Amino acid sequence: MAICWLNGQFVPEAQAQVSIFDRGLLFGDGVYEVAAVFGGRLLDADRHLVRLERSLAAIAIPSTHSAAEWVALMQSLVDQNGIDEGLVYLQVTRGVAERDFAFPASVTPTCFAYARKKALSGDPHAHGIALHTVADIRWARRDIKSVAMLAQVLAKQAAKAAGAYEALMHEDGVVTEGGSSTAWIVQHGTLLTRPLSHDILAGITRDVVLELAAQAGIPTVERAFTLNEVRQAEECLITSATSFVLPVTRVDGQVIADGVPGPITMRLRDAYLARAATLTARSA
Ligand code: PMP
């Protein structure tokens, strides 16, 4: 029986319920995080919880738990559900109140978390994925990890309908990010990704991959790039907490380079997996 955590209690998922007046449901008034589980341990939970605090502060939801408290309850979910590889999802909404747009005078945030199994080290998508390009129609604060994601729902549905694994979002031909991932290309041996701003989510995997590239002596440049540059790239890749580093071999049906995972991409994927194994290794 799958166990989740809701407002301070561990309960069977089937019994976890929230009000129809929860502002997360009514307005998408909430934020979330997803962290990977590797070797039965949370990966980079500290970095995810720093971003959670930033998202909460950006929309003035008071923080309900310390990072240590979040880590303890997330790890407990991993243990109770027997997850070796997978993820923990956690969400905080402004809470339950009469439906009125402005913040309620007094309200307690709704918090919940659940865990899921997912193959991470043996992800079949590591053989190469297809992207489908869509116009980025999201709001102007994509750095806030908001649960209001209708634009991504539509983008990823369009990708799925086109037989692609992920959407590649762009504004007038300039790439912003993947539907739920950071987008990268390799050009003249240099790894490119868009610089941080309100235009994209500050990916935790993005940060780690920039660090790993520096350690491996792979040159990196943070600048925006176009769909044309993607089509002509030596390599294209996406990153996210629960896909790590995935090679892109097709965009809108067109083959990228020679249509096989690129060497820099696979070096970074291997380095990412090695780091994950080291960080989550249990001391005997
Ligand atoms: N951009 C968007 C829009 C996302 O939803 C995600 C996944 N959370 C990412 C980027 C990648 O972020 P992270 O590496 O922290 O998972």
Side-chain angles (χ1 to χ4, degrees), residues 32 34 48 51 138 145 152 169 177-182 201-206 239-242:
Y32 76 106
V34 179
H48 284 281
R51 186 172 65 186
R138 294 176 300 163
K145 201 161 169 54
Q152 288 102 309
M169 301 190 286
E177 53 190 334
S180 58
S181 55
T182 302
L201 184 73
I204 303 302
T205 322
R206 176 188 181 282
T239 60
S240 80
T242 56

Side-chain angles (χ1 to χ4, degrees), residues 127-131 227-236 247-262:
H127 298 302
I129 60 164
L131 301 183
L227 288 178
N228 270 337
E229 288 183 288
V230 173
R231 292 185 194 107
Q232 325 238 307
E234 290 152 15
E235 300 182 32
C236 179
V248 174
T249 48
R250 276 175 187 270
V251 175
D252 291 341
Q254 185 202 307
V255 163
I256 300 300
D258 45 11
V260 294

Side-chain angles (χ1 to χ4, degrees), residues 35-56:
V37 176
F38 200 75
R41 309 291 289 267
L42 293 163
L43 185 60
D44 291 316
D46 49 345
R47 299 188 193 217
H48 284 281
L49 293 170
V50 167
R51 186 172 65 186
L52 177 69
E53 286 301 317
R54 258 200 339 260
S55 293
L56 287 169

Side-chain angles (χ1 to χ4, degrees), residues 203-222:
I204 303 302
T205 322
R206 176 188 181 282
D207 275 357
V208 171
V209 166
L210 285 171
E211 292 166 18
L212 293 172
Q215 285 162 24
I218 299 165
T220 57
V221 172
E222 294 178 56

Side-chain angles (χ1 to χ4, degrees), residues 10-274:
F10 291 100
V11 287
E13 286 182 4
Q15 286 165 33
Q17 296 186 339
V18 294
S19 164
I20 62 165
F21 293 106
D22 192 277
R23 289 175 63 99
L25 184 57
L26 293 173
F27 298 120
D29 186 0
V31 296
Y32 76 106
E33 276 298 328
V34 179
V37 176
F38 200 75
R41 309 291 289 267
L42 293 163
L43 185 60
D44 291 316
D46 49 345
R47 299 188 193 217
H48 284 281
L49 293 170
V50 167
R51 186 172 65 186
L52 177 69
E53 286 301 317
R54 258 200 339 260
S55 293
L56 287 169
I59 64 169
I61 291 181
S63 167
T64 53
H65 296 77
S66 68
E69 287 166 339
W70 277 119
V71 167
L73 74 90
M74 289 162 76
Q75 186 62 51
S76 175
L77 276 178
V78 171
D79 298 342
Q80 290 183 59
N81 290 286
I83 310 278
D84 182 44
E85 285 191 11
L87 61 94
V88 175
Y89 176 97
L90 66 94
Q91 179 170 324
V92 181
T93 79
R94 198 174 307 278
V96 177
E98 189 61 30
R99 185 177 181 278
D100 190 3
F101 286 80
F103 299 171
S106 140
V107 64
T108 307
T110 301
C111 310
F112 66 86
Y114 70 84
R116 279 290 176 276
K117 290 188 175 157
K118 184 178 187 230
L120 300 179
S121 54
D123 190 338
H125 299 103
H127 298 302
I129 60 164
L131 301 183
H132 173 74
T133 62
V134 295
D136 194 337
I137 59 168
R138 294 176 300 163
W139 72 327
R141 286 302 305 274
R142 300 157 187 164
D143 57 312
I144 301 170
K145 201 161 169 54
S146 157
V147 295
M149 285 193 286
L150 191 49
Q152 288 102 309
V153 167
L154 297 177
K156 288 175 81 89
Q157 175 56 31
K160 186 177 176 187
Y165 177 70
E166 172 64 309
L168 181 62
M169 301 190 286
H170 67 93
E171 288 172 323
D172 296 327
V174 179
V175 171
T176 49
E177 53 190 334
S180 58
S181 55
T182 302
W184 310 68
I185 56 172
V186 175
Q187 194 180 67
H188 310 305
T190 295
L191 189 60
L192 300 185
T193 199
R194 193 173 170 121
L196 296 184
S197 70
H198 288 173
D199 296 340
I200 61 166
L201 184 73
I204 303 302
T205 322
R206 176 188 181 282
D207 275 357
V208 171
V209 166
L210 285 171
E211 292 166 18
L212 293 172
Q215 285 162 24
I218 299 165
T220 57
V221 172
E222 294 178 56
R223 74 155 169 87
F225 52 86
T226 65
L227 288 178
N228 270 337
E229 288 183 288
V230 173
R231 292 185 194 107
Q232 325 238 307
E234 290 152 15
E235 300 182 32
C236 179
L237 53 146
I238 61 162
T239 60
S240 80
T242 56
S243 61
F244 295 174
V245 177
L246 290 182
V248 174
T249 48
R250 276 175 187 270
V251 175
D252 291 341
Q254 185 202 307
V255 163
I256 300 300
D258 45 11
V260 294
I264 291 181
T265 303
M266 295 319 273
R267 259 174 84 196
L268 289 168
R269 181 173 174 84
D270 289 347
Y272 196 92
L273 282 163

